[in-house]
Amino acid sequence: MFARLTMFALLAASPAMAGEFKLGLQLDESATPIAREAALAGTARQRESCAAPDEKREDCALDLVAAADILAGAGLFDEAERSARMSAAIMERLRGRDHPDTGVVYGALGSILVRAGRYDAAEPVLRAALFGLEGQADADPELLADHRMNLGIVLAEQGRLEEAEPFLRGALALRRAKLAENRRGIATAWANLGVLLDRMGRYAEALDAHREGMKIRQQVLKPSDYDLGTSMLNIAETLARQQDAGRLLAEPYLRAGLMTREAVLNPGDPRTTLAQTMLAENLDAQGKRRAALELYALAYAGARVGSEPDSPLRIRTEWNLARLLIDSGTGLPVARMLYREAGRGVVARIDRAKEFDARARADLTRYRGVFAGEVRTAWALGGGG
């Protein structure tokens, strides 16, 4: 039973792109998209047959964990979470909350919440799963490393960078010590540590970590592999912080990273949109505005297909395209429309906040340029200069 649950939990450790923008914090990610209709059809039996409140069969718990992974892979995170929580409830009734099998299911639930970007909800689930696993003398090192990685990601995405560092370093150390054959997993751990160090402003250390991960990926992956592209995008982002010289060095990495996404992902996938946006911003900063405008337009078109109106990535694409249009003095009505779309997205983000706390205030402040841009465009359209 434990071995089968472990297998399902490992399958669930592949986060898709969540609504929040992030550079490279990831587990061992599969870039293969799953169609939503196929995911719903393929999991309907498990979800319906195991929904009875008195259902206690082990096979239901296993079926629901597998269904949750498929649903999360299609971006159906509400359905995925519901299935995983149903599985956890069954395992609690059968084994108790502290049983290793129950802990494995909670680890899978935590992974799904991470993939969905629901970090507040993921943290207590992952802490419970990790605590239970660390208390076992024969704990599976792969699961233990994944739980540490997930918890580190959760903390990092909440801005708790110093708290995240020991978990990400612990995941890396465990993989290097006990899972040396999983070189791809080690590379992912290096990549995550590099992203964290970059966010902490420790750029030299971040570059070293990213290069360690990329070196492994170059040895074990094809040149067009998605994860190798992620390494290149992460290196580019860190290099770009070095201003003019860094931007020039970053451009080829950005182009290579975008190529890997375009090769394996469907049009409109947020991960492709993100890579297009990063390259466009780099070209824009170098003064290559014509090339930047083309990419900004592609990114905006992709965001309209693959991102929610209030997602940071979509707001960013609207903002970038509008800004370049107004700076060039062309397409002012289009620019105003884009700023209005971005502004509605920002307001929707604030409306979803439980209260106007420090986090909501920071989110609004982050997008103050959206509202300034709309005012500036309206002024220009009205002949005010």
Side-chain angles (χ1 to χ4, degrees):
M1 173 67 178
F2 182 80
R4 292 176 68 196
L5 278 171
T6 298
M7 178 186 69
F8 285 122
L10 292 175
L11 285 173
S14 308
M17 181 70 183
E20 294 296 325
F21 160 69
K22 44 184 167 286
L23 295 176
L25 284 171
Q26 60 176 98
L27 293 180
D28 303 307
E29 186 170 15
S30 169
T32 304
I34 302 174
R36 294 192 171 199
E37 295 77 10
L40 286 169
T43 60
R45 184 190 62 79
Q46 295 98 314
R47 291 180 291 123
E48 291 171 5
S49 65
C50 298
D54 59 344
E55 185 56 70
K56 296 183 178 180
R57 293 182 290 118
E58 288 183 2
D59 58 341
C60 264
L62 296 173
D63 285 348
L64 286 166
V65 171
D69 177 61
I70 294 170
L71 293 163
L76 296 163
F77 294 114
D78 288 340
E79 288 292 333
E81 181 183 351
R82 190 174 298 113
S83 293
R85 289 193 182 278
M86 287 170 62
S87 176
I90 293 171
M91 290 308 303
E92 278 195 30
R93 288 196 296 268
L94 289 172
R95 298 280 186 265
R97 187 175 180 84
D98 297 328
H99 194 278
D101 290 352
T102 308
V104 170
V105 175
Y106 268 99
L109 170 61
S111 294
I112 288 166
L113 292 168
V114 172
R115 296 165 75 176
R118 296 170 182 167
Y119 305 118
D120 290 345
E123 184 180 349
V125 172
L126 286 169
R127 285 193 183 277
L130 181 60
F131 179 79
L133 200 59
E134 287 180 331
Q136 301 171 29
D138 57 347
D140 185 302
E142 188 77 45
L143 278 179
L144 188 56
D146 284 348
H147 288 356
R148 288 176 180 172
M149 185 81 72
N150 263 331
L151 188 53
I153 290 171
V154 163
L155 295 169
E157 293 297 353
Q158 294 181 88
R160 295 153 65 183
L161 306 182
E162 289 77 13
E163 291 180 68
E165 185 175 358
F167 288 103
L168 293 182
R169 287 193 181 278
L172 172 61
L174 184 56
R175 287 187 172 184
R176 296 181 74 190
K178 295 189 176 182
L179 303 162
E181 72 286 353
N182 184 4
R183 300 187 69 201
R184 186 166 190 157
I186 294 171
T188 300
W190 274 118
N192 284 340
L193 180 60
V195 171
L196 180 73
L197 293 168
D198 182 277
R199 294 182 181 182
M200 297 172 81
R202 293 154 61 179
Y203 302 130
E205 294 176 76
L207 274 176
D208 287 343
H210 284 317
R211 284 170 173 153
E212 286 290 338
M214 188 173 74
K215 185 194 314 180
I216 297 172
R217 285 173 169 171
Q218 286 174 323
Q219 292 169 353
V220 301
L221 303 177
K222 296 179 180 179
S224 61
D225 191 277
Y226 176 89
D227 281 346
L228 183 55
T230 297
S231 284
M232 292 178 176
L233 290 172
N234 287 333
I235 288 175
E237 187 71 11
T238 303
L239 285 171
R241 301 187 192 283
Q242 301 175 25
Q243 302 305 320
D244 295 340
R247 291 192 190 104
L248 291 172
L249 292 170
E251 184 181 339
Y253 287 104
L254 289 167
R255 290 190 180 279
L258 173 58
M259 179 195 71
T260 63
R261 279 153 171 69
E262 290 177 334
V264 300
L265 299 176
N266 290 332
D269 189 290
R271 291 165 289 184
T272 302
T273 302
L274 173 57
Q276 291 168 335
T277 299
M278 292 171 68
L279 177 56
E281 289 172 346
N282 178 274
L283 296 171
D284 194 0
Q286 292 185 58
K288 301 176 181 178
R289 310 199 80 179
R290 183 184 296 276
L293 181 60
E294 293 176 0
L295 279 166
Y296 282 145
L298 283 173
Y300 169 65
R304 285 184 62 85
V305 172
S307 300
E308 296 298 322
D310 63 343
S311 75
L313 182 57
R314 180 155 167 182
I315 293 168
R316 183 176 171 184
T317 63
E318 293 160 346
W319 183 4
N320 275 325
L321 183 54
R323 176 179 52 77
L324 198 57
L325 288 171
I326 190 173
D327 285 349
S328 63
T330 59
L332 296 182
V334 176
R336 189 178 192 187
M337 178 271 293
L338 291 167
Y339 275 127
R340 283 181 169 175
E341 286 186 14
R344 283 194 290 268
V346 175
V347 171
R349 290 182 64 78
I350 299 304
D351 285 344
R352 283 196 290 104
K354 294 180 180 179
E355 56 182 333
F356 196 72
D357 55 10
R359 183 177 300 179
R361 188 177 298 109
D363 199 34
L364 180 61
T365 302
R366 175 183 176 191
Y367 297 111
R368 61 184 180 274
V370 170
F371 303 105
E374 184 174 348
V375 170
R376 182 182 168 202
T377 309
W379 189 259
L381 282 167

